Amino acid sequence: MKWAIIGTWRMCLEGIIAAAEILKHGGDSGDAVEEAVRTVEDYPLYKSVGYGGLPNENCEVEMDAAFMDGDTLSIGAVGGIRDFKNPVSIARRLSRERFNIFLVGSGAEEYAHKNGFERKNMLTERAKKIWEKRVREISDKNLSPYDGHDTVGVVCLDGQGHMTAATSTSGLFMKKRGRVGDSPICGSGLYVDSKIGGAAATGLGEDIMKGCLSYEAVRLMENGMNPQEAAKKAVCNFSEKLKQKRGKAGAMSLVCLNNKGEWGVGTNVEFSFVNGQEKSGRRKQNGI
Ligand code: GLY
């Protein structure tokens, strides 16, 4: 079986390259997807994920992340966790628990500490300056405080047919303390079943979770659609539904991969993604 991987936004290019190294040497998709997301979490200039992520209205970086295993449907997730270096790794560890698989805030931090995960102040000077500037703009110009919600979401198939998905984000810039978006929510931010395929979402969590978009894309693949048809239909149909019911729809994008390694994307905005796959014994990477 050929391996394949797809992730949201240009920011995951280096992570997908690192994951591809694991996959081309016969590695496991859980390790590859975790590596892809950790690479993004560690990069200080990405403003919506991990270290360097933009803070909430109290100038605290609160992060959400999830990991799902498509063989067992095991899922682990953290919401609103602060001061830990790699939330996706904590989520993966939680996915191995039988109970208490989705922890938030201080409970998630306590779990991470007890299980030896690395602590780190995730607020960079650069992120703090952007926050200070936005606070001034909000008071001077009466601007809407909310901005930016780009999640890294990755779906992966390894050479043994094992599929996984993972997400990580610092969520909406200037969010309320305790706000959790779609990214750690099973079926909304991500979903994967090795017998079918997987999907991961990015965009406005408040809208994505109204449509359980990732599950919807996987359901459409199960009913016979290829990943491109499924991603497009899931996003476009739900975006239209929201416009009809509520007059507007937030930004929503999906990456999809099936268990044959075929991939697709759907979006209602401009969106970039990165895909890597084995082709004729050689690795191929596309970025759009
Ligand atoms: N999609 C990420 C968020 O809304 O938090």
Side-chain angles (χ1 to χ4, degrees):
M1 179 162 295
K2 290 177 180 171
W3 59 263
I5 185 164
I6 189 165
T8 54
W9 303 112
R10 157 63 185 84
M11 67 178 159
C12 71
L13 177 62
E14 291 76 14
I16 295 282
I17 290 171
E21 282 303 309
I22 295 173
L23 294 166
K24 80 177 183 191
H25 290 105
D28 174 66
S29 101
D31 296 336
V33 90
E34 182 182 357
E35 181 62 28
V37 173
R38 281 176 69 101
T39 304
V40 184
E41 289 177 337
D42 288 343
Y43 191 72
L45 299 185
Y46 296 138
K47 294 185 288 187
S48 54
V49 178
Y51 186 57
L54 295 179
N56 66 14
E57 65 178 10
N58 302 88
C59 204
E60 302 155 331
V61 183
E62 289 185 320
M63 300 168 292
D64 304 334
F67 174 94
M68 186 165 184
D69 186 312
D71 279 5
T72 59
L73 305 186
S74 296
I75 179 141
V78 290
I81 191 169
R82 296 190 295 169
D83 296 334
F84 277 90
K85 183 172 174 280
N86 292 112
V88 70
S89 299
I90 303 165
R92 187 180 185 192
R93 176 74 181 72
L94 280 164
S95 75
R96 298 187 183 118
E97 304 282 358
R98 175 69 184 97
F99 300 107
N100 306 302
I101 59 174
F102 187 173
L103 298 179
V104 300
S106 58
E109 288 155 17
E110 203 173 287
Y111 177 88
H113 177 66
K114 280 189 181 150
N115 285 280
F117 287 95
E118 189 177 339
R119 279 188 180 277
K120 182 169 180 168
N121 174 10
M122 302 298 273
L123 182 67
T124 60
E125 271 310 307
R126 179 172 181 261
K128 194 169 165 211
K129 284 201 170 81
I130 295 171
W131 179 86
E132 285 165 352
K133 181 165 173 266
R134 179 52 65 98
V135 168
R136 284 195 302 274
E137 284 170 353
I138 293 165
S139 87
D140 294 352
K141 299 178 199 158
N142 205 19
L143 286 177
S144 158
Y146 301 116
D147 194 9
H149 36 69
D150 297 344
T151 301
V152 59
V154 180
V155 187
C156 182
L157 165 72
D158 68 23
Q160 296 73 48
H162 179 204
M163 294 195 77
T164 54
T167 56
S168 184
T169 184
S170 52
L172 204 56
F173 180 29
M174 287 288 180
K175 64 189 178 183
K176 295 274 177 216
R177 179 184 278 159
R179 180 259 187 197
V180 174
D182 62 299
S183 305
I185 297 178
C186 181
S188 286
L190 76 172
Y191 197 80
V192 63
D193 180 335
S194 300
K195 290 210 182 310
I196 307 164
T202 177
L204 184 64
E206 280 75 0
D207 280 358
I208 292 168
M209 67 175 85
K210 291 182 178 86
C212 304
L213 273 196
S214 293
Y215 183 79
E216 174 64 0
V218 174
R219 190 188 69 80
L220 291 170
M221 286 193 279
E222 186 174 25
N223 289 348
M225 283 191 186
N226 66 42
Q228 180 52 42
E229 292 165 342
K232 190 171 170 193
K233 189 171 171 103
V235 172
C236 294
N237 281 10
F238 191 64
S239 191
E240 274 314 303
K241 186 186 266 193
L242 281 182
K243 283 181 197 156
Q244 279 166 19
K245 286 184 182 288
R246 303 170 63 85
K248 61 185 173 193
M252 293 182 272
S253 306
L254 276 182
V255 291
C256 278
L257 184 70
N258 69 12
N259 66 350
K260 293 185 264 182
E262 299 163 338
W263 54 269
V265 299
T267 186
N268 65 357
V269 287
E270 266 192 47
F271 168 62
S272 62
F273 64 95
V274 180
N275 150 254
Q277 65 198 73
E278 185 173 332
K279 193 153 191 184
S280 308
R282 290 173 55 208
R283 191 181 70 207
K284 181 183 165 205
Q285 277 148 8
N286 301 320
I288 295 178

